[in-house]
Amino acid sequence: MTALVLHRFPLEPFPYDRWLAELDGGVVMIAARDKILAGGERLPDGNGGYRHLELVDTFDDEELVDRLARDLAHEHRVTHVIAHHEADLIRAAGLREKFGLAGQLPAGVMAFRDKVLMKRKLAEAGIEVAPHTLPATADEVRDFAAEHGLPLVFKARDGFGSIGLRIVRTGEELERQLAEAFAPGAGPREDLLLEAYVPGRMCHVDGVVAGGRTVMAWPSQYQYDLSSFQADGGARVDLTLDPSDPLTPRLLELTERALEALEGPVDHAFHAEVFHTPDDRLVVCEVAARPAGARIRDVLTAVFGTHPVELAARAHTGLRLPALEALPEGRERLEPVRMAGQVLMMKRPGTVRAIPATPEEPWVEFYGVFAEPGEVIGEAAISSDFLAAAVLSATTREECERRLRALGGRFETEIVID
């Protein structure tokens, strides 16, 4: 067996060569040089421990990546294709279909990538989603606004990472957005999703499905607005919910229903976003059939003692799952051993003059600064464009939040950008 990994992340946090070492045919990887360098890593020598490592300058060259993936899959007689970035799910599914491989195929991916189809399937299953429409013209947007009021949320039908997401709060902002979105002379649009604004705190549930059942899952709650990543100059905190929190079982049960409605693959990681409204409703925003971004993967690793991407990759390739084999008889899923969370500082334009001192506390599970003094950086292009990030753990959510807030205060004080 040989796995082809489509990888547009830094390399060090994802040691597929070690995670999938039992594959007799090894691991073939296409990796993005720009992401490796942006993560502060040195480029690997040769194949870097993989059967074959192909470095491309960027995954933005879609035609090149498609061609390389097809050629490598054929040359190395690949039996499994792994992709854990939203933008590569369709590509991976197409390769599986072309070469007759197991895993999610294009038709299945669309329920997770096409937000209109996703919301229809969720609503048909009795799951509440935001009122929404696919406006072809500016007048259709105005009609929707007249019915649902402001604010309104504009997003790409197949978007990810909050790229292009706009929250319009006033009539003046709406007209500016319409002038930008519907250029004079352009034809009707089919790629723009318009949603009524859902108030409340955004929660997310992250985990892994293996063998058709959920084996890892836990809810967290963002303490910030996801869409403000380009304007937010302060520390952004996100952390798990305690087992005793009344929201915890509700979010887990709702996510299970959503995954069932979307008919995900037998083995996959997932990231579900759910609004908890002021009147105590749970409204599903989106569900992704891939691991969460930011440092949520490290948060889950701290919570369960098992890396979700390793678990998902081993499940997909049919390898043993030692973490599940160690479960007590009668238990089907992993249970949290601690609480954890992340504190983040977004990039913002300027020259970096000072960065935080490395924290030494034993509860720091991950720490990274992604710029050096003297470096000139631009604004965040995506919601995971961090200047600094840390994952901390504690026995309770309350203690975890206290630690995260304290380190966030240090970030705000010690990071200096002109």
Side-chain angles (χ1 to χ4, degrees):
M1 294 192 299
T2 301
L4 171 63
V5 179
L6 308 176
H7 192 71
R8 61 170 83 204
F9 301 98
L11 288 175
E12 290 177 6
F14 302 90
Y16 285 100
D17 55 337
R18 175 169 57 80
W19 287 346
L20 305 179
E22 299 102 303
L23 291 180
D24 52 16
V27 178
V28 176
M29 177 181 283
I30 303 175
R33 183 179 284 104
D34 58 345
K35 299 301 183 183
I36 296 171
L37 295 175
E41 299 177 13
R42 295 179 60 181
L43 295 176
D45 296 327
N47 287 320
Y50 290 91
R51 174 173 174 176
H52 180 83
L53 175 62
E54 190 80 33
L55 292 180
V56 297
D57 289 337
T58 172
F59 268 56
D60 293 341
D61 189 340
E62 302 281 351
E63 184 176 339
L64 171 63
V65 175
D66 284 343
R67 177 175 56 79
L68 282 173
R70 290 194 302 269
D71 291 349
L72 290 172
H74 175 74
E75 177 184 351
H76 295 279
R77 298 184 179 181
V78 162
T79 55
H80 298 85
V81 179
I82 295 173
H84 285 137
H85 191 287
E86 191 82 11
D88 296 319
L89 298 183
I90 291 291
R91 174 180 287 119
L95 288 169
R96 296 185 195 110
E97 185 172 61
K98 177 178 178 61
F99 292 100
L101 307 180
Q104 195 171 38
L105 301 179
V109 173
M110 292 310 296
F112 293 88
R113 291 293 291 121
D114 182 342
K115 300 181 194 302
V116 176
L117 175 61
M118 176 193 301
K119 291 177 186 295
R120 177 173 64 78
K121 285 180 169 289
L122 292 172
E124 288 174 350
I127 296 171
E128 185 176 359
V129 298
H132 59 280
T133 188
L134 202 64
T137 66
D139 283 340
E140 291 184 15
V141 174
R142 295 186 182 99
D143 290 343
F144 188 84
E147 180 180 358
H148 296 282
L150 299 175
L152 293 177
V153 181
F154 290 79
K155 60 176 70 172
R157 181 176 184 171
D158 62 350
F160 58 89
S162 299
I163 298 174
L165 186 148
R166 300 281 182 85
I167 299 177
V168 171
R169 302 180 184 278
T170 69
E172 292 78 9
E173 289 178 359
L174 177 60
E175 290 305 317
R176 286 197 297 270
Q177 176 68 15
L178 293 179
E180 180 181 327
F182 298 94
R189 294 191 64 163
E190 297 181 352
D191 61 333
L192 183 65
L193 178 62
L194 180 64
E195 296 180 357
Y197 182 81
V198 179
R201 185 75 74 182
M202 173 77 83
C203 303
H204 56 100
V205 181
D206 303 279
V208 175
V209 171
R213 62 185 176 90
T214 302
V215 297
M216 171 191 284
W218 202 255
S220 299
Q221 191 177 66
Y222 296 114
Q223 306 300 302
Y224 58 86
D225 181 358
L226 279 177
S227 65
S228 67
F229 66 92
Q230 289 181 320
D232 194 346
R236 294 156 72 90
V237 169
D238 168 39
L239 72 160
T240 49
L241 296 179
D242 270 323
S244 61
D245 192 310
L247 271 181
T248 295
R250 293 174 61 194
L251 286 165
L252 291 173
E253 188 274 336
L254 177 63
T255 301
E256 201 71 34
R257 290 173 54 207
L259 292 172
E260 182 179 346
L262 296 175
E263 300 176 290
V266 173
D267 304 295
H268 69 103
F270 62 85
H271 171 69
E273 295 180 339
V274 183
F275 295 106
H276 179 221
T277 68
D279 59 352
D280 200 32
R281 290 178 295 121
L282 294 180
V283 181
V284 173
C285 177
E286 297 174 8
V287 183
R290 45 83 181 163
R295 306 307 307 193
I296 297 172
R297 298 178 294 265
D298 301 284
V299 171
L300 281 189
T301 303
V303 168
F304 292 104
T306 298
H307 200 297
V309 180
E310 178 183 9
L311 184 60
R314 291 182 65 87
H316 177 62
T317 52
L319 297 178
R320 291 178 52 247
L321 305 176
L324 301 184
E325 293 171 359
L327 289 175
E329 186 176 354
R331 185 180 295 175
E332 294 188 344
R333 65 171 65 184
L334 299 169
E335 297 292 336
V337 296
R338 62 182 63 85
M339 295 290 96
Q342 56 180 341
V343 56
L344 314 165
M345 291 289 288
M346 303 306 301
K347 289 182 178 177
R348 59 184 191 271
T351 301
V352 179
R353 297 301 182 192
I355 59 176
T358 301
E360 302 291 343
E361 294 85 355
W363 55 77
V364 178
E365 307 285 346
F366 168 86
Y367 174 76
V369 176
F370 307 105
E372 298 177 353
E375 185 176 347
V376 178
I377 59 175
E379 71 176 3
I382 190 172
S383 60
S384 57
D385 244 353
F386 309 131
L387 177 59
V391 173
L392 311 182
S393 62
T395 55
T396 66
R397 182 185 191 276
E398 182 180 12
E399 178 63 13
C400 187
E401 182 167 9
R402 186 190 67 78
R403 291 172 176 175
L404 290 165
R405 299 286 182 192
L407 184 55
R410 282 183 48 192
F411 280 177
E412 293 173 354
T413 300
E414 297 177 13
I415 291 175
V416 179
I417 300 177
D418 290 343

